[in-house]
Amino acid sequence: METAIAVENLKKTYQPKTRKGVEVKAVDDISFAVPRGEFFGLLGPNGAGKTTTIGVLTTRVMPTGGTARIEGLDVARNPVAVKRRIGVVPQVNNLDRSLTAREILLFHAEYFGVAKHAREAQAQQLLERFELTERADEKVIGFSGGMVQRLKIARALMHNPAILFLDEPTTGLDPQSRHAMWDLLSELHAKGQTILLTTHYMEEADLLCERAAIIDHGKLLALDSPAQLKRSVPGGYLIELMARSGLNDSFANALRALPGVVDVKQEQERVRIYADRAEGLLANAMRLASEQGVMVTDAHVAEPSLENLFLHLTGRSLRE
Amino acid sequence: MTATMLALLHRDLRVARRELQYFLLRVGLQPLLFTFIFGFVMPRLGIIQRGYTEMLLPGILGLSMTLSSMQAVALPLVIDFGWTKEIEDRLLAPISISGVAIEKILVGILQAMIAGLVVLPLAWLLMGVHLSLGLVEIIQLLVVAILSSWLFAAFGMVVATIVEPQQIGLVFNVLLAPMIFFGCAYYPWATLHVIPWFQRAVLLNPLVYANEGFRLALTPQMPHMSPWLVYGGLLGFSLLFTWLGLRKFAGRAVD
């Protein structure tokens, strides 16, 4: 398989702006490779280093260490050649506010040297596919979040890029627009488009990505298909108990001895039980709790999910 | 010039053409008022001599063109970098970062030239200044116009990339007022020899070279700065600000 994106030991450290400031390692030694045609996800909470990684890959951020290559081209050395091969859908709305939706597409293609008749046909086709024809000749101020997002993707596709980068494309969209966006991205991928997407939504990575990298604090914690990632959580099933009092090590040890339990993590008023199966386990855990005088105030059972994996890897929830 | 740069220019000119009426109002209003008061009202009142308008015409043209070009570059850039992030759309075009910056400077020069084409005939007619423009003067006028516009387009880029967006209003006021008053727009530099320290101090002001350049081309019979100082100043400041502007632009454009 041909490699579309290759990232090796990538680092980006921001030097403090003031003398008292602290150095920030936004990306801390990340490596991964994306073959042509893959739908790849970077999954992590806000501030994990996703946008910085995409920034380096799209020539907008200078790495301070390691290399990033797009179709074999070093992004730091050949930014112009790299820009020809990529389409970028940034997180912020950077649509040209002085132009109409159609003009935005046409001028974008003109920047990339697409011939006039070709760009006009392409713009019309994308406007239709992305359901933007009704307001195609209006300026974009006043477009809804979903329309802005669709237009940004249409713009990125105007020059037929080899790789499409999407930075949190569904953040801030209502559920309906989000599902429409997912359909659209699946369709692009089905046509063979290589896509790199960042998200902090587990279900988005789970649904769309063939492989996902979980990153946090600039480090890559895990990289595999969503199914494999979920399976890699010890136990996979998670039972979470909240207790008002009585939590102690002997309770945790007793839980560990229960059949099917893989791991138990205890912190303050919360116990997380990772297990291979959930049947009967909750009842057993509750029985143990009452035997040991632990006052359980809340219990929650979760199916294997990327959310659980993230919890397992970092000890905190993605949504915190 | 690459195809991408031409496409960027095409975009900026399309937008400028759409906003032509505002542009004309912006560049035309102040010179119009100026020429009316100083060129028409005050000479009639006998407050200033008729000859003063000849001294004033090059200054008004100089101010209009330099301010146009500076604003054409600085204001959109401040908004782009500070708020809309629209500049990222241009930075992803297949062109080097300096290419994007140079295109912005070219747009500034073009806008200033258009402003000049509007203001010069306007001021000329209203003031009734007698201009005898031969071929040499016209070439000189063109060279001065291009250099002055270039200088201030580059200066606009320096200002827009150095100053925090929240302070741009303050900077425009604090920077522009002394520049205009010390810019030899309302008095020829050569006559400043009566205040020698002031005559030397204003040489730090790039606007002086633009205004004196227009004086040189339009009213060579009036006192003016020597040509080599005019062209040296214009070219020197243009190169300095272009170098600085491109560096700062790249610093803002890439993280």
Side-chain angles (χ1 to χ4, degrees):
Chain A
M1 272 274 226
E2 223 174 321
T3 305
I5 305 171
V7 174
E8 278 170 39
N9 307 109
L10 191 69
K11 294 188 184 87
K12 177 64 183 182
T13 308
Y14 288 100
Q15 294 305 321
K17 287 202 174 120
T18 55
R19 196 172 292 179
K20 281 185 183 169
V22 283
E23 195 181 79
V24 178
K25 288 183 175 172
V27 176
D28 190 8
D29 204 6
I30 281 184
S31 302
F32 63 88
V34 179
R36 188 186 294 266
E38 186 171 63
F39 201 140
F40 186 86
L42 284 178
L43 182 63
N46 294 327
K50 305 187 299 285
T51 299
T52 310
T53 306
I54 260 198
V56 172
L57 286 168
T58 56
T59 77
R60 302 282 296 107
V61 176
M62 264 292 176
T64 48
T67 54
R69 290 174 191 281
I70 297 292
E71 299 203 310
L73 293 162
D74 189 322
V75 290
R77 293 208 185 129
N78 296 300
V80 178
V82 166
K83 284 192 271 189
R84 287 200 176 280
R85 288 165 170 78
I86 59 173
V88 184
V89 181
Q91 211 171 329
V92 293
N93 173 3
N94 67 348
L95 291 172
D96 198 327
R97 287 159 183 76
S98 314
L99 302 176
T100 67
R102 188 189 303 275
E103 284 176 323
I104 285 174
L105 300 186
L106 291 176
F107 272 112
H108 180 87
E110 197 179 329
Y111 302 156
F112 282 82
V114 180
K116 193 158 189 282
H117 62 274
R119 63 180 184 246
E120 277 166 1
Q122 172 91 330
Q124 185 55 33
Q125 198 187 331
L126 285 170
L127 286 167
E128 277 165 20
R129 169 60 193 94
F130 288 50
E131 292 166 23
L132 292 162
T133 37
E134 257 175 56
R135 298 178 70 177
D137 298 302
E138 284 176 41
K139 286 192 186 175
V140 296
I141 295 168
F143 274 28
S144 71
M147 291 170 79
V148 164
Q149 218 54 2
R150 296 203 298 277
L151 185 58
K152 275 157 65 182
I153 297 177
R155 177 183 62 179
L157 293 172
M158 275 302 288
H159 60 287
N160 296 311
I163 305 163
L164 182 63
F165 289 92
L166 300 131
D167 196 3
E168 306 217 354
T170 65
T171 299
L173 294 189
D174 58 71
Q176 203 184 346
S177 306
R178 175 170 301 155
H179 280 96
M181 182 64 64
W182 287 344
D183 289 345
L184 199 81
L185 295 177
S186 302
E187 183 188 311
L188 285 171
H189 175 234
K191 284 186 191 158
Q193 179 75 54
T194 310
I195 301 177
L196 187 149
L197 162 137
T198 74
T199 181
H200 61 267
Y201 296 116
M202 290 293 170
E203 69 259 51
E204 190 162 288
D206 203 354
L207 189 77
L208 295 174
C209 300
E210 288 168 280
R211 285 191 311 146
I214 294 184
I215 62 176
D216 190 31
H217 297 303
K219 286 189 188 299
L220 195 148
L221 303 175
L223 168 60
D224 214 325
S225 66
Q228 283 294 339
L229 284 172
K230 283 187 283 190
R231 248 173 262 150
S232 75
V233 187
Y237 288 90
L238 168 66
I239 295 176
E240 208 171 46
L241 300 178
M242 301 295 286
R244 194 174 297 150
S245 62
L247 280 186
N248 52 48
D249 287 348
S250 78
F251 179 57
N253 287 334
L255 285 173
R256 272 192 197 97
L258 289 174
V261 171
V262 178
D263 195 11
V264 175
K265 283 184 177 172
Q266 181 179 324
E267 53 182 60
Q268 289 160 352
E269 300 183 324
R270 180 158 58 184
V271 182
R272 290 197 180 112
I273 308 162
Y274 297 93
D276 290 328
R277 55 181 193 278
E279 311 90 65
L281 188 58
L282 185 60
N284 279 334
M286 294 306 278
R287 182 179 47 78
L288 267 181
S290 71
E291 278 172 19
Q292 301 212 2
V294 176
M295 240 284 271
V296 175
T297 55
D298 192 22
H300 176 75
V301 182
E303 300 272 304
S305 73
L306 290 177
E307 183 81 39
N308 293 352
L309 173 63
F310 193 80
L311 265 172
H312 170 73
L313 291 172
T314 67
R316 60 203 182 92
S317 163
L318 254 175
R319 287 157 212 270
E320 272 166 17
Chain B
M1 210 184 304
T2 66
T4 303
M5 191 182 280
L6 283 177
L8 291 170
L9 268 175
H10 183 197
R11 180 262 167 208
D12 283 342
L13 294 181
R14 165 85 57 93
V15 172
R17 201 178 64 200
R18 198 167 286 164
E19 290 161 2
L20 190 64
Q21 64 272 38
Y22 309 113
F23 173 76
L24 291 179
L25 199 64
R26 178 159 64 84
V27 301
L29 185 64
Q30 219 193 348
L32 195 68
L33 295 173
F34 229 100
T35 41
F36 179 69
I37 296 296
F38 283 89
F40 183 75
V41 174
M42 284 166 79
R44 254 153 225 250
L45 297 178
I47 295 173
I48 57 173
Q49 293 170 347
R50 279 202 177 265
Y52 184 60
T53 55
E54 285 181 30
M55 234 167 244
L56 207 55
L57 178 67
I60 287 178
L61 182 63
L63 281 182
S64 307
M65 291 190 67
T66 52
L67 293 186
S68 277
S69 124
M70 183 173 165
Q71 280 189 19
V73 176
L75 293 184
L77 266 190
V78 166
I79 295 169
D80 271 7
F81 275 127
W83 289 287
T84 65
K85 309 290 177 199
E86 248 180 55
I87 191 77
E88 287 180 18
D89 168 53
R90 279 0 92 69
L91 290 170
L92 284 167
I95 184 171
S96 66
I97 290 165
S98 330
V100 176
I102 290 168
E103 188 270 341
K104 294 276 167 208
I105 293 179
L106 286 177
V107 169
I109 296 175
L110 275 174
Q111 287 211 20
M113 297 301 273
I114 296 166
L117 283 176
V118 174
V119 171
L120 181 60
L122 197 86
W124 190 357
L125 285 174
L126 271 174
M127 286 186 170
V129 176
H130 175 72
L131 296 179
S132 52
L133 291 179
L135 186 63
V136 179
E137 284 78 18
I138 288 177
I139 292 172
Q140 242 174 353
L141 180 62
L142 266 176
V143 173
V144 168
I146 291 170
L147 284 176
S148 306
S149 313
W150 172 23
L151 196 171
F152 277 84
F155 184 61
M157 179 160 287
V158 173
V159 171
T161 48
I162 284 183
V163 175
E164 291 295 319
Q166 297 86 337
Q167 274 140 15
I168 192 70
L170 178 74
V171 168
F172 258 77
N173 283 326
V174 170
L175 197 71
L176 282 186
M179 269 180 90
I180 291 169
F181 280 98
F182 302 156
C184 296
Y186 311 131
Y187 45 84
W189 182 77
T191 56
L192 287 181
H193 63 86
V194 292
I195 322 169
W197 65 268
F198 187 57
Q199 192 180 32
R200 278 196 294 277
V202 298
L203 287 176
L204 287 174
N205 183 354
L207 189 57
V208 169
Y209 304 93
N211 289 330
E212 285 297 316
F214 285 111
R215 209 156 264 140
L216 183 74
L218 288 173
T219 55
Q221 72 280 12
M222 306 292 284
H224 56 73
M225 193 184 259
S226 77
W228 69 265
L229 195 52
V230 167
Y231 293 120
L234 286 176
L235 196 63
F237 272 115
S238 295
L239 291 171
L240 173 71
F241 288 146
T242 304
W243 173 77
L244 197 61
L246 293 187
R247 260 181 61 128
K248 291 286 166 191
F249 184 88
R252 289 293 291 269
V254 177
D255 221 348

